[in-house]
Structure formats: structure tokens, C-alpha cells
Amino acid sequence: MNLYKKTASELAEMIKNKEITSEEVTRNFLDRIKSVEDKVGAFSNIFEEKALEQARKIDEENNEEGRKKYENTGLFGVPVALKDNIVSKGDLTTAASQILKNYVGVYDATVVKKLKEAGAVLVGKANMDEFAMGSSNENSSIKSASNPWDLERVPGGSSGGSAAAVAAGEVPVALGTDTGGSIRQPASLTGTVGIKPTYGRVSRYGLMAFGSSLDQIGALAKSSEDLARIMQIISGYDENDPTTADVEVPDYVSLLEKDIKGLKIGLPKEYFSDELDKSIKEVVDKTVETLKKLGAEVKEVSLPYTKYAISTYYIISSAEAASNLSRYDGVRYGVRKSDENIEEMYVKSRTEGFGDEVKRRIMIGNYVLSSGFYDAYYKKASQVRRLIRDDFLRVLSEVDLILTPVSPTTAFKKGEKVTDPVQMYLGDIFTVSINMAGLPAISVPAGFVNGLPVGIQLIGNYFREDLLFNVANRFEKERGEIKYPEL
């Protein structure tokens, strides 16, 4: 039985009803990984024995009495992948960087702890752009992941491994992280569903930091119901992360089927500029018509500060990256490359440990934070960030949701943008402003252009993930099932 074609929700119900065991499901996915991983390159580390042991334990406890010890059984016995910047105890966690190539986690991140308490089976670490810096997965020091729809193309980044693993049927659901679009862009490029929750909705304890005021842990799957189930598990206040919000987490799954008649959706005119591929605009227009048919009301809105989003984002994120990555020096963290003298050790460890893109962002970050430039760049960017946030809040006082494209293009060929970082950065033009505002957003597959998937982005008000799942789910029912590549 090709269990890898089923959604996480379907598998969870089959395991609970004892139609199949967690061990059978886990073996099926591990076999799928063995058969396609050489082509896809979605994983940096696979925990075969550990996963099977976990699955057997779940099967032993798969009864009414046994399940009582688990917090939430929405993904009970279902295999899950973790992005390689999320720490798990006893597992190699490298953030796809040479500087952490031998780092083994000494504790579980809060999201990992919650998944274990829910009876999910952790099968491995997903490949990524080094320290989550990139939009193509070509910045991984391990290997470059491929897009299952066309192996010569990128799966997007930085959560490209998580997206590729789900699209290739190597895992039904995977955790990713999103600092400027790193879940939504690969979701769009691989035909998967990806959620970036509200800043503070999910604990970042145990996440290797890139931009601390922007980073959020989210997930990728094949359906919005799958995302609703995993978000139900990982969301909520955590005393280990003071930036988490003590806001009640609604029952996402029970709200999926709500009627969306009368829902107001805004289309920001700035997101439909000439930079957007005409074929992608057609897919977005078709989605709008589908939502109108479901009873939603659509109107044009304006987010004028969008034009400053990319430059503002790269100043703030690079400044935070330079600060966060200063700890990887060969003394406190990271592989030590020299013992000749302290200066030599710092220089060699960081030069050989970090890849080109990470070095580029560290240099930009140190520049904008340096004396004489701080006011001109970082301080100014922080002020513009507030204006961008205010833009969204003004529009979201008039409408319930905002709908935009996710990426200005479909998946591009490997190597196409590697030598042009500015062109690569512009791929995030529709996603970065949401991180700066701290809002939740979801990417949902909406159609195809030349055989390649295209996603649409739904942006909600703070802590309204329930509404995103609801609208995404109603749209998915109208859109119909997606047939993923066989490989």
C-alpha cells in the first residue's frame, strides 16, 4: 500500500482506528525515503532505528488507556520531519553549516518536546539553506535539494528540504522556519501548504536563531487540515521563550468547515505590479473567483510601504544575523579550525565554517550596526518597519484577510540566481513584509504554470490562524486534489 500518498490526517485516523500500525506507516515512509532521496536530497540526517523504536512504542500504547498519557493525539503515530535548525536531544543538528557539522543536541526544543508528547514519530532532519539564509536550498553545505516536480529546479528556501520531503512523499508533514518567507516560498514552489504563524504563537526555544524578531517555527504539509493538527500541538505559551504570547489556542480542526460567506478579502494593488509573472496573476485571479463563488467579498486595498519591504528586511535581518552568529567562534560554539593564536583561530574557524551567503549577511549586518551607520541604516529600517506594520493593521481593520501571490515566479533552475544575490533576494518580495509585521500567513497551492505549482498567500490578523486554515480548507475542497509527482 502506498501510504506515502495519504495526508497526515488520514494516517492519524487509520492508526487510531487500528486499521494500520504506526510501525507500518513509518516503514512505508522510510522505504520511500530510500527509493527517492538520492534524487531529491531533502534530508540531512535520518533517524531510521530511533523512528521505528518510537513507532513500536506508539503501537503498544494505542488503546484508550495508553493514549491518555499523550497531550494531543492529532498526529498520533504519524512520521514528522524537523528542519535541521531545530534542536533535538541526541540528534545531529547542523543548520546545514560546516561550523556545526558535529553538533549533537543536548536537549529538545519545545516544539520537539510537544511533538513527542503528542505521539508523533520523528524520522529525521530536513535539509535547508545554511542558518536559514537563502531562497533556493543551494546554500546548504550538505547538498542541494531538488524540486520533486522538476529535479533540475530548486524547491525554494530556506525550508526547501522540508517542502521537498512533503512533495516527494518522504514524510506527510514537516516543521520549517520562516524569517522572511522561508516556509511560504518553498510551499508555493513545491505545491505544498505552508503556514507562518503569528510571531509569538509558537515557541522558538531550541531554534538556532537567524533574526530573532522575525523567526517563527511553522509547518508544511499536503492539506490545511494537516497544518491545523500540527499547529494545535506546537502552539502556545512557553516559559522558556519570553517572546511567546499567552493567548488561547483555538481548536483549529473544528473550525475548518465554517462557512466563509460574507468574509471580506483585500487585494493589495502593490502586490500585482509588473514584476509579477502574467501566468501567476491568472492563477491568483482564478483563486479570487473561486473564493467569490464561496461567498467571500473581495475589494482592492493599498499597502504603500510595500516598496520599502525588501531593503528594510535585509537591513534588519542581516543586523540580527550578525549579532546571533557572533557566538559561533570556535570557542563557545562551532568547529575550531586553528590553535595557533586567538586571532588566527577566530578568523580560520569562521572563514572555513561559514558559507558565502552567511558571510555576506554577517558583513552587511556588521556594516549597518557600525558606528556612523547605525542611525542611517538600522534605526531608519526599524522606523520603516513600524510603518509597514501600521499599513497592514489599517487594511486589516477594513478586511478579514489579505490575498496576494507568494512568489513572483515559479521554481527556477538550479544555478540560475546563485551569482546574483539581489535577484535571489527579490524572490521574497511578497513575503518579507509579513514577518516584519509579525502577522500569520499561509501559502496554499492554487494552480500550475507550465507544469510547475503556484501558491497563493492568505494573510490574517494577529492570532487568526484559525481563519487562515478555514479559508484554505474551503478553497482546497473547491480546487480538488493535487496529484504529486511519482519520481
Side-chain angles (χ1 to χ4, degrees):
M1 194 193 295
N2 289 338
L3 295 173
Y4 66 83
K5 292 186 176 179
K6 296 195 175 292
T7 65
S9 305
E10 290 168 338
L11 292 167
E13 293 309 311
M14 287 170 76
I15 291 166
K16 265 197 238 178
N17 297 334
K18 297 195 173 182
E19 293 168 42
I20 198 156
T21 66
S22 175
E23 186 179 355
E24 284 174 289
V25 172
T26 305
R27 280 192 189 280
N28 195 276
F29 279 97
L30 288 168
D31 288 344
R32 175 69 174 171
I33 290 169
K34 282 174 192 166
S35 68
V36 302
E37 178 57 17
D38 283 350
K39 297 177 195 170
V40 181
F43 283 89
S44 54
N45 191 10
I46 297 154
F47 323 139
E48 186 170 358
E49 285 312 310
K50 212 170 176 180
L52 289 169
E53 195 181 311
Q54 223 175 335
R56 287 184 205 110
K57 182 174 178 283
I58 294 296
D59 290 330
E60 282 168 23
E61 296 173 332
N62 190 10
N63 53 58
E64 208 171 315
E65 194 56 44
R67 281 200 298 266
K68 277 180 188 167
K69 66 173 80 169
Y70 291 93
E71 294 287 312
N72 173 325
T73 54
L75 289 179
F76 190 74
V78 175
V80 177
L82 306 170
K83 189 173 176 180
D84 199 10
N85 57 351
I86 298 170
V87 177
S88 53
K89 192 174 183 178
D91 301 323
L92 195 65
T93 308
T94 69
S97 178
Q98 283 301 302
I99 208 159
L100 284 174
K101 68 177 182 181
N102 59 4
Y103 175 71
V104 174
V106 292
Y107 67 101
D108 279 334
T110 297
V111 289
V112 174
K113 183 170 167 282
K114 286 185 171 187
L115 284 169
K116 286 180 178 177
E117 286 169 354
V121 176
L122 307 179
V123 294
K125 293 285 169 86
N127 195 4
M128 59 183 282
D129 283 297
E130 184 182 2
F131 281 106
M133 297 179 196
S135 306
S136 66
N137 220 129
E138 292 168 289
N139 295 328
S140 169
S141 75
I142 299 162
K143 56 191 169 187
S144 168
S146 299
N147 193 320
W149 295 91
D150 180 345
L151 298 172
E152 289 181 11
R153 293 177 186 269
V154 303
S158 64
S159 306
S162 299
V166 172
E170 294 180 278
V171 74
V173 62
L175 288 191
T177 65
D178 193 310
T179 308
S182 287
I183 286 174
R184 290 159 290 149
Q185 185 250 20
S188 177
L189 269 47
T190 58
T192 53
V193 196
I195 178 87
K196 181 212 92 72
T198 306
Y199 184 81
R201 177 58 103 183
V202 177
S203 171
R204 291 180 297 114
Y205 178 71
L207 169 66
M208 292 172 176
F210 161 14
S212 302
S213 73
L214 302 159
D215 297 340
Q216 260 303 276
I217 294 174
L220 299 105
K222 286 182 177 171
S223 77
S224 48
E225 184 184 347
D226 290 359
L227 289 189
R229 285 179 181 238
I230 196 164
M231 282 299 294
Q232 196 77 56
I233 293 166
I234 65 173
S235 298
Y237 176 72
D238 176 23
E239 61 184 18
N240 289 319
D241 176 4
T243 64
T244 49
D246 194 0
V247 176
E248 189 186 344
V249 180
D251 184 345
Y252 295 131
V253 179
S254 70
L255 300 168
L256 285 171
E257 297 297 339
K258 270 180 70 180
D259 191 1
I260 65 165
K261 195 172 182 183
L263 193 83
K264 293 184 175 66
I265 297 176
L267 299 179
K269 60 184 181 185
E270 292 81 5
Y271 282 65
F272 295 89
S273 63
D274 295 339
E275 286 154 355
L276 182 65
D277 185 294
K278 283 185 173 56
S279 306
I280 290 176
K281 188 177 183 301
E282 282 171 21
V283 172
V284 178
D285 290 344
K286 197 174 167 190
T287 304
V288 170
E289 290 309 310
T290 303
L291 292 171
K292 279 184 185 172
K293 191 175 128 192
L294 288 167
E297 296 168 17
V298 177
K299 69 178 231 176
E300 185 179 83
V301 294
S302 178
L303 294 165
Y305 286 100
T306 293
K307 60 185 173 186
Y308 304 114
I310 286 284
S311 49
T312 305
Y313 169 79
Y314 278 98
I315 289 169
I316 291 169
S317 64
S318 298
E320 293 186 5
S323 177
N324 279 322
L325 268 58
S326 63
R327 72 191 73 177
Y328 302 104
D329 53 12
V331 181
R332 295 165 292 176
Y333 296 92
V335 175
R336 186 176 295 189
K337 293 291 184 181
S338 170
D339 282 315
E340 286 175 47
N341 60 58
I342 193 160
E343 188 179 345
E344 183 82 9
M345 182 203 65
Y346 280 147
V347 171
K348 273 202 163 181
S349 298
R350 289 170 71 81
T351 302
E352 293 178 33
F354 290 134
D356 288 347
E357 182 59 31
V358 176
K359 288 177 197 165
R360 186 181 290 122
R361 299 206 198 188
I362 289 171
M363 287 190 285
I364 293 169
N366 283 327
Y367 178 79
V368 300
L369 289 174
S370 61
S371 177
F373 295 103
Y374 178 89
D375 282 356
Y377 290 102
Y378 185 75
K379 188 180 175 187
K380 185 67 73 181
S382 299
Q383 291 166 334
V384 175
R385 177 183 189 168
R386 173 61 65 92
L387 296 172
I388 290 169
R389 191 201 71 160
D390 291 348
D391 250 2
F392 277 107
L393 294 183
R394 176 182 47 77
V395 169
L396 285 166
S397 68
E398 301 167 18
V399 297
D400 301 298
L401 285 180
I402 297 168
L403 188 151
T404 75
V406 182
S407 171
T409 64
T410 52
F412 46 90
K413 288 271 179 83
K414 287 186 176 189
E416 198 177 300
K417 298 184 181 181
V418 166
T419 55
D420 189 349
V422 173
Q423 204 54 40
M424 188 78 86
Y425 296 167
L426 288 171
D428 300 329
I429 196 161
F430 301 135
T431 55
V432 294
S433 52
I434 291 94
N435 295 76
M436 287 189 285
L439 294 163
I442 193 170
S443 172
V444 190
F448 291 84
V449 170
N450 300 323
L452 295 168
V454 172
I456 55 107
Q457 177 172 236
L458 298 170
I459 306 157
N461 217 327
Y462 296 113
F463 305 106
R464 289 309 312 269
E465 289 83 3
D466 59 321
L467 188 56
L468 298 181
F469 294 139
N470 174 210
V471 177
N473 179 63
R474 296 305 300 265
F475 170 69
E476 284 167 4
K477 297 275 168 69
E478 288 293 313
R479 181 206 64 204
E481 195 184 335
I482 290 174
K483 293 211 173 349
Y484 289 89
E486 288 294 335
L487 292 168

